[in-house]
Amino acid sequence: LLPKAPLRLPGVEMAGICVPASHVGGDYFDFFPHDGNVDVVIADVSGHSVGAALIMTEMRSTLRAELRRPHAGRPAPGPAELLAALNEVLYGDLSGAELFISMFYMRYELASRRLSYANAGHNRPLLRRQGALACAQLDAEGLIIGVQRQVRFEERSMVMEPGDSLFLYTD
């Protein structure tokens, strides 16, 4: 269910690799180009089992349905709103299975190079600015998905410059 090839867009190249701890598990990443933007998600369901893999499959389907849902003339929901919607839909199944999902979700606007992001308790991505010797962490407040209902996620944004690199990972 992971992307089969890197994504190449004008001024952007995205690639990923997944090395599972076992044959099946709850690790996931994907990218969705749409309307001059590209959305990127990386997530991890707690545990290393078939149950974690099944919950991640449900999360993937729910996310794709949310991205395709008509929005009655308003813009598509941003990263924080998407995480809140996923939490509401998945809360019952996650709490029933005693699992949770950590997730980082971002939207990159190709024309403006604006990166908007929200975090649901996932590892903080690393940003390496062109010419910098060190990386900075992208931080945004948010509880992991499936712990409680009606969670509000912080959304932050910044402008990427040519030559910047962003590293998303899970462990």
Side-chain angles (χ1 to χ4, degrees):
L1 299 176
L2 302 174
K4 304 292 186 239
L7 177 67
R8 290 184 175 89
L9 299 168
V12 175
E13 185 171 336
M14 294 184 190
I17 185 169
C18 180
V19 181
S22 60
H23 293 291
V24 296
D27 295 332
Y28 175 68
F29 72 92
D30 212 343
F31 24 79
F32 311 98
H34 64 94
D35 305 323
N37 302 318
V38 61
D39 287 13
V40 178
V41 61
I42 185 167
D44 187 12
V45 174
S46 57
H48 300 283
S49 65
V50 172
L54 291 172
I55 290 289
M56 188 54 72
T57 302
E58 179 184 9
M59 188 285 304
R60 177 182 183 265
S61 297
T62 303
L63 173 61
R64 287 174 172 246
E66 185 65 28
L67 288 171
R68 290 187 177 107
R69 187 170 57 88
H71 302 289
R74 33 179 295 247
E81 193 177 340
L82 277 167
L83 290 181
L86 287 172
N87 186 67
E88 287 303 305
V89 171
L90 298 172
Y91 174 80
D93 288 349
L94 287 166
S95 62
E98 298 181 352
L99 295 172
F100 60 84
I101 301 173
S102 70
M103 182 183 300
F104 184 86
Y105 196 95
M106 67 181 207
R107 176 167 295 144
Y108 181 70
E109 300 170 16
L110 296 170
S112 66
R113 296 193 313 265
R114 176 154 301 281
L115 179 73
S116 301
Y117 59 91
N119 197 349
H122 198 71
N123 300 328
R124 296 176 185 147
L126 301 175
L127 171 67
R128 183 180 173 277
R129 293 284 191 184
Q130 175 70 27
L133 297 177
C135 293
Q137 293 183 339
L138 296 188
D139 192 19
E141 295 297 318
L143 192 61
I144 54 179
I145 294 172
V147 173
Q148 72 182 42
R149 290 195 180 278
Q150 299 179 339
V151 175
R152 295 183 58 89
F153 295 90
E154 178 184 20
E155 185 167 318
R156 292 192 175 180
S157 68
M158 57 172 287
V159 174
M160 299 284 290
E161 299 296 336
D164 288 351
S165 299
L166 190 60
F167 303 93
L168 288 79
Y169 62 98
T170 191
D171 46 0

